Amino acid sequence: AYDYADMTKQAKSYYLKSVKIREQLKDTVGLMNTYNNLGIVYKNTGQLDSAIFFYERSLGLATRTGMSRYKINPLINLGVVYRQLNNNRKAISFYEQAKAICIAENKEGQLYTVNNNIGFLYNSLGEFSNALPYTKGAAEFALQKGTLEDMAEYLQNYAVSLNGLNRRREAFDILLKSKVYTDSLYDAENARQMAELSAKYEDEKKANQIEILNQETAIQKLQLRQRTILFISA
């Protein structure tokens, strides 16, 4: 909860307490997940060396216990960190390892996230021929099974690959499709924000009405008390 609220200091404290308990319980799966979560907290606060340390602890534990599917998340997250460090080649190597496990474990959704990330890195390196199979595959998956966010992002990444290969007409068409999903996403976000504002307004309106009623009740009680005092005095 603290993690989702971006209260990273508190989140880190509870994750570290969790590590101690899980170590006592010999909860291997729990430890892998907690190490990974600690890595995310450190990554989000820009402490990339510490993030790498905990991702590697999670990965090492998964490797030693032979739980391959638990290697996927730390491998992806190591790719993210090395991408932030502008070490694209190393990031690609981690993503490729994650990709192989996703295929072996039939993790389709994660596979295409990885493919999109690899494609993005090859685009960044200007290696558009290498990028194309990844970005095209990710875009096709997004159109079939992805969220609006996937469609907007993966299609845009695919358009970059096409444009880099001078296939500009195709790139333009894909970019137009991406814009449709981006606009839909924007509209959905606007609708969500409007709903939140409306709910907040209604809550504040009710709170104000309650406050007014409380004030009116207090005034009525005071008037009654005054009348009672006057009556007794008379």
Tab-separated table of all heavy atoms in Angstrom, residues 83-115:
chain	number	residue	atom	x	y	z
A	83	ARG	N	18.655	-0.068	-19.081
A	83	ARG	CA	18.142	0.877	-20.077
A	83	ARG	C	18.233	2.302	-19.531
A	83	ARG	O	18.620	3.222	-20.248
A	83	ARG	CB	16.690	0.500	-20.400
A	83	ARG	CG	15.961	1.437	-21.338
A	83	ARG	CD	14.614	0.825	-21.683
A	83	ARG	NE	13.598	1.808	-21.970
A	83	ARG	CZ	12.337	1.525	-22.258
A	83	ARG	NH1	11.935	0.266	-22.272
A	83	ARG	NH2	11.469	2.475	-22.521
A	84	GLN	N	17.892	2.481	-18.244
A	84	GLN	CA	18.002	3.795	-17.617
A	84	GLN	C	19.455	4.254	-17.538
A	84	GLN	O	19.739	5.452	-17.593
A	84	GLN	CB	17.395	3.770	-16.205
A	84	GLN	CG	15.876	3.767	-16.189
A	84	GLN	CD	15.341	3.858	-14.773
A	84	GLN	OE1	15.123	2.847	-14.117
A	84	GLN	NE2	15.129	5.059	-14.287
A	85	LEU	N	20.364	3.295	-17.417
A	85	LEU	CA	21.790	3.605	-17.349
A	85	LEU	C	22.408	3.772	-18.741
A	85	LEU	O	23.627	3.930	-18.869
A	85	LEU	CB	22.532	2.496	-16.584
A	85	LEU	CG	22.225	2.407	-15.080
A	85	LEU	CD1	22.789	1.110	-14.497
A	85	LEU	CD2	22.799	3.606	-14.344
A	86	ASN	N	21.555	3.720	-19.770
A	86	ASN	CA	21.989	3.862	-21.173
A	86	ASN	C	22.952	2.755	-21.613
A	86	ASN	O	23.749	2.954	-22.537
A	86	ASN	CB	22.635	5.241	-21.413
A	86	ASN	CG	21.629	6.361	-21.244
A	86	ASN	OD1	20.501	6.272	-21.716
A	86	ASN	ND2	22.038	7.431	-20.569
A	87	ASN	N	22.871	1.615	-20.938
A	87	ASN	CA	23.651	0.452	-21.351
A	87	ASN	C	22.691	-0.479	-22.099
A	87	ASN	O	22.252	-1.514	-21.574
A	87	ASN	CB	24.268	-0.238	-20.135
A	87	ASN	CG	25.305	-1.283	-20.530
A	87	ASN	OD1	25.302	-1.783	-21.648
A	87	ASN	ND2	26.198	-1.609	-19.598
A	88	ASN	N	22.365	-0.089	-23.332
A	88	ASN	CA	21.316	-0.783	-24.080
A	88	ASN	C	21.672	-2.227	-24.415
A	88	ASN	O	20.803	-3.104	-24.421
A	88	ASN	CB	20.980	-0.016	-25.350
A	88	ASN	CG	20.247	1.281	-25.058
A	88	ASN	OD1	19.838	1.533	-23.924
A	88	ASN	ND2	20.081	2.128	-26.059
A	89	ARG	N	22.953	-2.479	-24.691
A	89	ARG	CA	23.360	-3.846	-25.039
A	89	ARG	C	23.135	-4.798	-23.859
A	89	ARG	O	22.637	-5.912	-24.032
A	89	ARG	CB	24.839	-3.877	-25.436
A	89	ARG	CG	25.176	-3.078	-26.663
A	89	ARG	CD	24.654	-3.715	-27.920
A	89	ARG	NE	24.971	-2.903	-29.085
A	89	ARG	CZ	24.411	-3.054	-30.270
A	89	ARG	NH1	23.492	-4.001	-30.457
A	89	ARG	NH2	24.729	-2.271	-31.282
A	90	LYS	N	23.511	-4.341	-22.667
A	90	LYS	CA	23.327	-5.188	-21.493
A	90	LYS	C	21.848	-5.369	-21.199
A	90	LYS	O	21.401	-6.451	-20.808
A	90	LYS	CB	24.040	-4.576	-20.283
A	90	LYS	CG	24.191	-5.548	-19.116
A	90	LYS	CD	25.291	-5.123	-18.159
A	90	LYS	CE	25.525	-6.197	-17.117
A	90	LYS	NZ	26.659	-5.870	-16.229
A	91	ALA	N	21.071	-4.294	-21.386
A	91	ALA	CA	19.623	-4.386	-21.192
A	91	ALA	C	19.026	-5.430	-22.128
A	91	ALA	O	18.203	-6.266	-21.707
A	91	ALA	CB	18.970	-3.029	-21.431
A	92	ILE	N	19.442	-5.403	-23.381
A	92	ILE	CA	18.945	-6.383	-24.360
A	92	ILE	C	19.276	-7.802	-23.918
A	92	ILE	O	18.449	-8.719	-24.039
A	92	ILE	CB	19.507	-6.092	-25.771
A	92	ILE	CG1	18.855	-4.825	-26.347
A	92	ILE	CG2	19.280	-7.276	-26.714
A	92	ILE	CD1	19.498	-4.326	-27.634
A	93	SER	N	20.478	-7.999	-23.372
A	93	SER	CA	20.874	-9.359	-22.962
A	93	SER	C	19.954	-9.892	-21.860
A	93	SER	O	19.583	-11.071	-21.857
A	93	SER	CB	22.339	-9.382	-22.502
A	93	SER	OG	22.488	-8.764	-21.233
A	94	PHE	N	19.568	-9.029	-20.924
A	94	PHE	CA	18.641	-9.454	-19.866
A	94	PHE	C	17.251	-9.738	-20.446
A	94	PHE	O	16.596	-10.717	-20.070
A	94	PHE	CB	18.555	-8.404	-18.764
A	94	PHE	CG	19.735	-8.394	-17.832
A	94	PHE	CD1	20.581	-7.302	-17.764
A	94	PHE	CD2	20.006	-9.500	-17.036
A	94	PHE	CE1	21.671	-7.301	-16.905
A	94	PHE	CE2	21.102	-9.510	-16.170
A	94	PHE	CZ	21.942	-8.402	-16.112
A	95	TYR	N	16.800	-8.872	-21.348
A	95	TYR	CA	15.486	-9.083	-21.970
A	95	TYR	C	15.460	-10.386	-22.777
A	95	TYR	O	14.450	-11.093	-22.784
A	95	TYR	CB	15.123	-7.914	-22.879
A	95	TYR	CG	14.706	-6.652	-22.160
A	95	TYR	CD1	15.171	-5.405	-22.576
A	95	TYR	CD2	13.829	-6.684	-21.077
A	95	TYR	CE1	14.774	-4.232	-21.933
A	95	TYR	CE2	13.433	-5.529	-20.431
A	95	TYR	CZ	13.915	-4.305	-20.862
A	95	TYR	OH	13.519	-3.160	-20.219
A	96	GLU	N	16.562	-10.686	-23.464
A	96	GLU	CA	16.624	-11.920	-24.252
A	96	GLU	C	16.525	-13.152	-23.348
A	96	GLU	O	15.878	-14.137	-23.699
A	96	GLU	CB	17.917	-11.965	-25.075
A	96	GLU	CG	17.945	-11.003	-26.262
A	96	GLU	CD	17.060	-11.433	-27.428
A	96	GLU	OE1	16.343	-12.453	-27.307
A	96	GLU	OE2	17.077	-10.744	-28.463
A	97	GLN	N	17.181	-13.090	-22.191
A	97	GLN	CA	17.054	-14.197	-21.229
A	97	GLN	C	15.609	-14.336	-20.747
A	97	GLN	O	15.084	-15.451	-20.636
A	97	GLN	CB	17.974	-13.949	-20.029
A	97	GLN	CG	19.455	-14.021	-20.328
A	97	GLN	CD	20.281	-13.657	-19.108
A	97	GLN	OE1	20.248	-14.358	-18.088
A	97	GLN	NE2	21.033	-12.573	-19.189
A	98	ALA	N	14.986	-13.198	-20.467
A	98	ALA	CA	13.582	-13.220	-20.029
A	98	ALA	C	12.688	-13.776	-21.134
A	98	ALA	O	11.765	-14.551	-20.862
A	98	ALA	CB	13.137	-11.819	-19.642
A	99	LYS	N	12.989	-13.390	-22.369
A	99	LYS	CA	12.186	-13.857	-23.509
A	99	LYS	C	12.213	-15.379	-23.620
A	99	LYS	O	11.167	-16.022	-23.803
A	99	LYS	CB	12.724	-13.232	-24.797
A	99	LYS	CG	12.010	-13.714	-26.054
A	99	LYS	CD	12.713	-13.241	-27.309
A	99	LYS	CE	12.105	-13.913	-28.538
A	99	LYS	NZ	12.817	-13.560	-29.784
A	100	ALA	N	13.394	-15.968	-23.485
A	100	ALA	CA	13.526	-17.431	-23.603
A	100	ALA	C	12.688	-18.144	-22.539
A	100	ALA	O	12.025	-19.156	-22.823
A	100	ALA	CB	14.994	-17.825	-23.473
A	101	ILE	N	12.687	-17.599	-21.316
A	101	ILE	CA	11.905	-18.218	-20.239
A	101	ILE	C	10.409	-18.016	-20.478
A	101	ILE	O	9.601	-18.917	-20.225
A	101	ILE	CB	12.319	-17.654	-18.866
A	101	ILE	CG1	13.795	-17.947	-18.607
A	101	ILE	CG2	11.471	-18.271	-17.748
A	101	ILE	CD1	14.367	-17.217	-17.405
A	102	CYS	N	10.023	-16.825	-20.961
A	102	CYS	CA	8.603	-16.569	-21.275
A	102	CYS	C	8.076	-17.573	-22.289
A	102	CYS	O	6.948	-18.070	-22.162
A	102	CYS	CB	8.438	-15.146	-21.836
A	102	CYS	SG	8.579	-13.842	-20.610
A	103	ILE	N	8.880	-17.888	-23.279
A	103	ILE	CA	8.479	-18.870	-24.301
A	103	ILE	C	8.353	-20.254	-23.670
A	103	ILE	O	7.358	-20.962	-23.874
A	103	ILE	CB	9.490	-18.879	-25.470
A	103	ILE	CG1	9.414	-17.553	-26.245
A	103	ILE	CG2	9.223	-20.054	-26.403
A	103	ILE	CD1	10.524	-17.367	-27.257
A	104	ALA	N	9.360	-20.629	-22.870
A	104	ALA	CA	9.356	-21.959	-22.234
A	104	ALA	C	8.199	-22.123	-21.255
A	104	ALA	O	7.613	-23.202	-21.141
A	104	ALA	CB	10.685	-22.191	-21.518
A	105	GLU	N	7.858	-21.035	-20.557
A	105	GLU	CA	6.804	-21.081	-19.533
A	105	GLU	C	5.440	-20.649	-20.067
A	105	GLU	O	4.468	-20.563	-19.313
A	105	GLU	CB	7.192	-20.185	-18.345
A	105	GLU	CG	8.446	-20.615	-17.614
A	105	GLU	CD	8.232	-21.840	-16.749
A	105	GLU	OE1	7.065	-22.112	-16.380
A	105	GLU	OE2	9.228	-22.532	-16.451
A	106	ASN	N	5.366	-20.349	-21.369
A	106	ASN	CA	4.113	-19.936	-22.016
A	106	ASN	C	3.511	-18.680	-21.371
A	106	ASN	O	2.301	-18.592	-21.137
A	106	ASN	CB	3.094	-21.086	-21.990
A	106	ASN	CG	1.963	-20.888	-22.998
A	106	ASN	OD1	2.148	-20.242	-24.040
A	106	ASN	ND2	0.792	-21.416	-22.697
A	107	LYS	N	4.365	-17.689	-21.100
A	107	LYS	CA	3.935	-16.417	-20.522
A	107	LYS	C	3.762	-15.397	-21.652
A	107	LYS	O	4.628	-14.556	-21.900
A	107	LYS	CB	4.963	-15.921	-19.497
A	107	LYS	CG	5.192	-16.863	-18.331
A	107	LYS	CD	4.007	-16.878	-17.391
A	107	LYS	CE	4.280	-17.705	-16.152
A	107	LYS	NZ	3.123	-17.730	-15.225
A	108	GLU	N	2.628	-15.487	-22.330
A	108	GLU	CA	2.430	-14.720	-23.560
A	108	GLU	C	2.453	-13.208	-23.327
A	108	GLU	O	3.112	-12.470	-24.070
A	108	GLU	CB	1.098	-15.122	-24.212
A	108	GLU	CG	0.896	-14.527	-25.588
A	108	GLU	CD	-0.438	-14.929	-26.187
A	108	GLU	OE1	-1.458	-14.873	-25.476
A	108	GLU	OE2	-0.461	-15.286	-27.377
A	109	GLY	N	1.716	-12.743	-22.320
A	109	GLY	CA	1.643	-11.305	-22.072
A	109	GLY	C	3.009	-10.714	-21.782
A	109	GLY	O	3.384	-9.670	-22.337
A	110	GLN	N	3.768	-11.378	-20.900
A	110	GLN	CA	5.108	-10.897	-20.574
A	110	GLN	C	6.041	-10.985	-21.779
A	110	GLN	O	6.904	-10.129	-21.972
A	110	GLN	CB	5.689	-11.694	-19.403
A	110	GLN	CG	5.073	-11.333	-18.057
A	110	GLN	CD	5.668	-12.160	-16.928
A	110	GLN	OE1	5.592	-13.382	-16.944
A	110	GLN	NE2	6.237	-11.499	-15.935
A	111	LEU	N	5.856	-12.017	-22.598
A	111	LEU	CA	6.693	-12.182	-23.782
A	111	LEU	C	6.621	-10.959	-24.685
A	111	LEU	O	7.646	-10.451	-25.154
A	111	LEU	CB	6.271	-13.441	-24.556
A	111	LEU	CG	6.943	-13.645	-25.931
A	111	LEU	CD1	8.451	-13.806	-25.772
A	111	LEU	CD2	6.338	-14.862	-26.636
A	112	TYR	N	5.425	-10.461	-24.915
A	112	TYR	CA	5.298	-9.339	-25.846
A	112	TYR	C	5.684	-8.006	-25.211
A	112	TYR	O	6.079	-7.071	-25.920
A	112	TYR	CB	3.895	-9.323	-26.457
A	112	TYR	CG	3.772	-10.446	-27.470
A	112	TYR	CD1	3.155	-11.650	-27.133
A	112	TYR	CD2	4.369	-10.329	-28.724
A	112	TYR	CE1	3.097	-12.695	-28.034
A	112	TYR	CE2	4.311	-11.368	-29.630
A	112	TYR	CZ	3.676	-12.548	-29.282
A	112	TYR	OH	3.640	-13.584	-30.181
A	113	THR	N	5.615	-7.924	-23.902
A	113	THR	CA	6.196	-6.761	-23.214
A	113	THR	C	7.704	-6.753	-23.437
A	113	THR	O	8.301	-5.716	-23.757
A	113	THR	CB	5.902	-6.816	-21.701
A	113	THR	OG1	4.493	-6.748	-21.503
A	113	THR	CG2	6.564	-5.656	-20.964
A	114	VAL	N	8.321	-7.925	-23.275
A	114	VAL	CA	9.764	-8.061	-23.485
A	114	VAL	C	10.116	-7.747	-24.940
A	114	VAL	O	11.069	-7.021	-25.221
A	114	VAL	CB	10.233	-9.477	-23.095
A	114	VAL	CG1	11.665	-9.723	-23.553
A	114	VAL	CG2	10.123	-9.684	-21.593
A	115	ASN	N	9.343	-8.307	-25.882
A	115	ASN	CA	9.610	-8.050	-27.294
A	115	ASN	C	9.556	-6.565	-27.618
A	115	ASN	O	10.397	-6.035	-28.346
A	115	ASN	CB	8.596	-8.794	-28.169
A	115	ASN	CG	8.946	-10.264	-28.343
A	115	ASN	OD1	10.061	-10.687	-28.038
A	115	ASN	ND2	8.005	-11.059	-28.807
